[in-house]
Amino acid sequence: MAPLTISSMRERVIDFSKPFMSLGISIMIKKPEKQKPGVFSFMDPLSYEIWMCVIFAYSGVSVVLFLVSRFSPYEWHLEGDVINGIGPTATNDFTIFNSLWFSLGAFMRQGCDVSPRSVSGRIVASVWWFFTLILISSYTANLAAFLTVERMVTPIESADDLSKQTEIQYGTIDSGSTKEFFRTSKIPVYQRMWAFMSTAEPSVFVSKVDDGIERVRNSKGKYAFLLESTWNDYVNERKPCNTMKVGGNLDSKGYGVATPLGSDLKDATNLAVLQLREDGFLHELQTKWWYDRSECGGTGGQSATKQDASQSALTLSNVAGIFYILIGGLLLSMIIALSEFCYKSRVEARKAKTSLASAIKSKMRLSIRGQQEQDSKDYNGQPELLRKSLSSYHSYTSPSQVIMIDGFGDPIESHTQV
């Protein structure tokens, strides 16, 4: 009884029993050295594309917060008193620098000394807070693995990776079903691999499986051996524990017990194999000799992908949802800010008995240009009205941009906080 692979060519001259073990062609490489965390390994939990998106998101949120605060009348408030016929000043806490500072404080979970009062501004703040909550939680959960676990970076992950490069040589045993598989394959990837192996100098084929394994161990990562997965899994669990399997199996086949053509032993062997498989005895034997008696801690046969699955960097597809929520919230806040701007302009146009276009133009000039002097005649004779209007505003000590009111008709009521 031997590990004889069932094939159509062999089936012509001998009889095979039912397969007692399933296998496939696999790739063995030398286990790469583990990389220790570097100086900037704290950035590894998030991929490069996420870091770039976070930077753009931070800049975009700050700009949108600045814009909605400029156009929303509820972010403006009056400060000062009437002096020499010059009216009070309208201030807005969310200058571009304060907007950047607010976004940075929220991102760092520290808060800020200014906060939005308008609905549109609060929507911007809310979606940004939600965005940073999910992002920082994901980053923190993934950070520990990157700082405490040494990672292995394999040069290849699959047969397709092998076929697209020439730096790492690869080959099979010089005779047998594995070599025949590549020689007769109609799959483009395996055809490219066979073209490389058949023309490589020096030869990439070996006479025995043990020779191929030794070549892998002594090649410093420049040779990959294509062999049956049962051999691969077994050797990877034995000292010196410096080989590993990458990728999945390239095909599917099985080991069988060979008997002469027409032998009476065939039926009895088939029944015995089936009974042992149904009882789970064959699986117990494989587990016992392959893994339970492992000399490498039971991890030598795992692929690099499986070993590093718990510490892979988050990609954009993992957190794309929070970016969609952030963008949707920013668009909603801009729509609400525009609605507030138009509504307030209409109210002030009615009070001042001017056209809506004139009111919008005046408020637009205040929001965009930021500083326009108020004619003293607008305030002459109205000191009592000014004092009453100013009494409805809170005092602000935070840094802000000072802007003169551009009034039209009723200057005090034009930016009263509701």
Side-chain angles (χ1 to χ4, degrees), residues 58-59 61-67 70 92-103 401:
Y58 165 71
S59 303
V61 167
S62 300
V63 171
V64 171
L65 182 60
F66 169 73
L67 292 177
R70 298 281 285 188
N92 191 320
D93 290 328
F94 281 95
T95 63
I96 186 62
F97 295 108
N98 281 353
S99 298
L100 289 168
W101 178 245
F102 175 86
S103 300
Q401 180 177 356

Side-chain angles (χ1 to χ4, degrees), residues 64 168 221 234:
V64 171
I168 300 176
Y234 183 83

Side-chain angles (χ1 to χ4, degrees), residues 4 13 22 39 56 69 140 150 176 179 187 218 240 244 249 252 259 275-276 301 303 330 333 336 349 352 366 385 418:
L4 196 60
V13 294
S22 298
V39 177
F56 287 124
S69 298
T140 304
E150 295 179 342
K179 182 179 180 181
I187 301 175
N218 299 328
M244 64 182 297
N249 294 341
S252 179
T259 60
Q275 185 65 44
L276 291 174
S303 67
L330 296 181
S333 66
I336 293 178
L366 174 64
L385 178 59
V418 178

Side-chain angles (χ1 to χ4, degrees), residues 142 145-146 305-312:
N142 218 26
F146 280 86
T305 303
K306 291 181 179 179
Q307 290 187 38
D308 292 340
S310 61
Q311 50 181 331
S312 58

Side-chain angles (χ1 to χ4, degrees), residues 203-245:
S203 176
V204 294
F205 298 108
V206 294
S207 58
K208 297 185 298 182
V209 174
D210 291 339
D211 294 340
I213 296 171
E214 285 302 314
R215 187 168 178 177
V216 170
R217 287 172 171 166
N218 299 328
S219 63
K220 299 181 180 180
K222 299 300 181 181
Y223 182 79
F225 188 42
L226 299 161
L227 73 167
E228 292 168 343
S229 58
T230 48
W231 273 92
N232 202 345
D233 293 336
Y234 183 83
V235 172
N236 293 335
E237 298 294 342
R238 299 295 174 266
K239 291 182 179 180
C241 305
N242 59 355
T243 60
M244 64 182 297
K245 175 183 175 181

Side-chain angles (χ1 to χ4, degrees), residues 13 33 51 54 67 84 86 96 104 111 132 151 156 174 185 207 227 240 257 264 267 275 277 323 366 412 414:
V13 294
E33 295 182 358
W51 284 116
V54 168
L67 292 177
N84 297 326
I86 303 299
I96 186 62
L104 181 61
T132 57
R151 307 187 68 205
I156 58 171
D174 199 16
S185 177
S207 58
L227 73 167
V257 178
D264 296 337
D267 292 338
Q275 185 65 44
R277 291 184 62 178
F323 283 93
L366 174 64
I412 301 305
S414 60

Side-chain angles (χ1 to χ4, degrees), residues 169 196-204 215:
Q169 293 186 323
F196 173 82
M197 290 187 289
S198 60
T199 58
E201 291 293 340
S203 176
V204 294
R215 187 168 178 177

Side-chain angles (χ1 to χ4, degrees), residues 94-338:
F94 281 95
T95 63
I96 186 62
F97 295 108
N98 281 353
S99 298
L100 289 168
W101 178 245
F102 175 86
S103 300
L104 181 61
F107 185 78
M108 297 297 180
R109 319 304 297 166
Q110 297 301 314
C112 184
D113 54 350
V114 293
S115 58
R117 298 188 300 170
S118 63
V119 175
S120 54
R122 289 175 178 176
I123 290 177
V124 174
S126 298
V127 295
W128 179 241
W129 290 339
F130 176 79
F131 174 87
T132 57
L133 173 65
I134 301 300
L135 186 68
I136 292 177
S137 299
S138 302
Y139 171 83
T140 304
N142 218 26
L143 179 62
F146 280 86
L147 296 183
T148 58
V149 179
E150 295 179 342
R151 307 187 68 205
M152 291 190 303
V153 179
T154 57
I156 58 171
E157 293 289 349
S158 63
D160 188 56
D161 292 342
L162 274 179
S163 67
K164 292 179 179 179
Q165 57 81 51
T166 57
E167 182 179 357
I168 300 176
Q169 293 186 323
Y170 48 92
T172 69
I173 192 170
D174 199 16
S175 60
S177 60
T178 301
K179 182 179 180 181
E180 188 68 15
F181 168 80
F182 286 99
R183 190 184 69 81
T184 60
S185 177
K186 303 299 181 182
I187 301 175
V189 173
Y190 303 149
Q191 288 179 337
R192 291 198 302 267
M193 295 177 68
W194 171 251
F196 173 82
M197 290 187 289
S198 60
T199 58
E201 291 293 340
S203 176
V204 294
F205 298 108
V206 294
S207 58
K208 297 185 298 182
V209 174
D210 291 339
D211 294 340
I213 296 171
E214 285 302 314
R215 187 168 178 177
V216 170
R217 287 172 171 166
N218 299 328
S219 63
K220 299 181 180 180
K222 299 300 181 181
Y223 182 79
F225 188 42
L226 299 161
L227 73 167
E228 292 168 343
S229 58
T230 48
W231 273 92
N232 202 345
D233 293 336
Y234 183 83
V235 172
N236 293 335
E237 298 294 342
R238 299 295 174 266
K239 291 182 179 180
C241 305
N242 59 355
T243 60
M244 64 182 297
K245 175 183 175 181
V246 294
N249 294 341
L250 278 58
D251 66 346
S252 179
K253 47 194 174 184
Y255 286 148
V257 178
T259 60
L261 286 173
S263 173
D264 296 337
L265 295 174
K266 178 181 178 180
D267 292 338
T269 303
N270 283 337
L271 291 175
V273 169
L274 290 175
Q275 185 65 44
L276 291 174
R277 291 184 62 178
E278 291 174 359
D279 295 341
F281 182 74
L282 295 177
H283 178 72
E284 291 178 3
L285 286 178
Q286 183 178 6
T287 302
K288 173 183 177 180
W289 293 103
W290 264 254
Y291 305 111
D292 291 349
R293 299 191 179 187
S294 170
E295 299 173 356
C296 303
T299 60
Q302 294 182 9
S303 67
T305 303
K306 291 181 179 179
Q307 290 187 38
D308 292 340
S310 61
Q311 50 181 331
S312 58
L314 294 177
T315 61
L316 186 59
S317 59
N318 298 124
V319 293
I322 60 176
F323 283 93
Y324 295 148
I325 294 175
L326 179 63
I327 294 173
L330 296 181
L331 294 176
L332 178 61
S333 66
M334 295 181 70
I335 294 173
I336 293 178
L338 182 61

